[in-house]
Amino acid sequence: MRIGLLLLTNLAVMLIASVVFSLLGLSGILDADGIGLNLGALLVWCALLGFGGSFVSLALSKWMAKRATRAAVIEAPGNETENWLLDTVARLAEDAGIGMPEVAIFPSPQPNAFATGATSNSALVAVSSGLLQQMNQDEVEAVLGHEIGHIANGDMLTLTLIQGVVNTFVILLSRVVGYVVDRYLLRNETGLGIGYFVTSIAAQIFFGILASAIVMWFSRRREFRADARGAELAGREKMISALERLRAASRGADTMPQSMAAFGISAGTRRGIRALYSSHPPLETRIAALRAGE
């Protein structure tokens, strides 16, 4: 149901964009003299590229996460800690109404954890060795509740669909800008020239940077929701204690590989304009939200 509604929403956005372009007369301008751009075909092609790349990344997310962090999945518990981890994840997953995810431990001296996977019933929850060493069981339980919250909320799929929509319009707008520059500024009337391709590449980079801020805004919002779900599953005070422990340990430094930063429970704090491109809100802001009961 979640997938269907989000796909219908995204399809509606693209249809509205197509109608607006037509009403503004852009379709005719872009396809002038039969050598321009077919807006309908371009929109479909951009959607295939935009969503295709996002869904391929989602499908490979568990495999890539394991390789990036060198996470070892617990097939059979080898000690009391691993046995407790499996039992706790199983209980939290049942309480959240999702299937049992894979559970893994990855080597890192910094306390962190992440969840990923294509669906809520085929996910992965991983914790760092540093988290197990520096946090007590109540705090680890809260962290696991946060990650289970991400899975139960469908955050991986939601962010993938948002990224797909953003990718679609970045590709589309960059091609439109490239065409306008090539056709009307460079006065090229014989077809799509070098100006189109060079401008399209430059515009795609520019729009991609702007679009990343949109995706990161959604990523920050999902962290608040996952904190709330973790508080619901494990207890509010446990969740607050875990975040305070993370704040003391991180000291504003990135504690995950850059490719995995958006998946971790904690990421480096950024200030000023860079904060727009942070996947996580500041830990102190998240703690304040939990204390306020948000």
Side-chain angles (χ1 to χ4, degrees), residues 33-44:
D33 302 326
I35 60 171
L37 300 179
N38 183 315
L39 186 62
L42 179 62
L43 189 58
V44 171

Side-chain angles (χ1 to χ4, degrees), residues 50-67:
F51 282 99
S54 295
F55 276 102
V56 167
S57 294
L58 179 63
L60 297 175
S61 60
K62 279 206 302 184
W63 178 80
M64 292 189 298
K66 292 174 186 177
R67 285 184 62 85

Side-chain angles (χ1 to χ4, degrees), residues 94-258:
E94 183 178 0
D95 291 344
I98 63 172
M100 176 66 178
E102 289 185 307
V103 182
I105 299 174
F106 62 95
S108 172
Q110 294 290 342
N112 217 322
F114 67 86
T116 190
T119 70
S120 61
N121 292 320
S122 63
L124 167 71
V125 172
V127 297
S128 70
S129 55
L131 182 136
L132 295 175
Q133 294 165 2
Q134 298 179 41
M135 288 190 173
N136 61 42
Q137 285 192 345
D138 284 347
E139 292 165 345
V140 175
E141 180 186 359
V143 170
L144 293 173
H146 172 99
E147 300 306 335
I148 293 293
H150 274 308
I151 300 170
N153 292 340
D155 286 342
M156 282 73 77
L157 176 61
T158 301
L159 205 60
T160 295
L161 291 170
I162 292 169
Q163 185 69 65
V165 172
V166 167
N167 289 346
T168 298
F169 283 97
V170 166
I171 297 171
L172 174 67
L173 291 176
S174 65
R175 269 48 178 187
V176 170
V177 169
Y179 175 79
V180 170
V181 170
D182 188 59
R183 187 67 183 274
Y184 296 101
L185 295 182
L186 300 180
R187 303 294 182 180
N188 177 28
E189 298 182 356
T190 60
L192 300 177
I194 188 65
Y196 167 79
F197 296 103
V198 172
T199 305
S200 294
I201 292 172
Q204 186 165 330
I205 294 173
F206 174 73
F207 289 135
I209 293 172
L210 295 181
S212 293
I214 299 174
V215 177
M216 289 300 99
W217 182 87
F218 280 101
S219 179
R220 292 192 295 274
R221 299 311 303 172
R222 71 176 187 160
E223 291 302 319
F224 288 114
R225 294 175 63 239
D227 285 343
R229 197 65 179 270
E232 177 186 330
L233 291 170
R236 186 173 301 278
E237 290 307 314
K238 292 181 183 179
M239 192 73 248
I240 291 173
S241 178
L243 293 179
E244 288 178 335
R245 180 83 68 172
L246 287 170
R247 181 174 61 172
S250 65
R251 297 177 182 177
D254 290 331
T255 59
M256 293 277 284
Q258 189 59 38

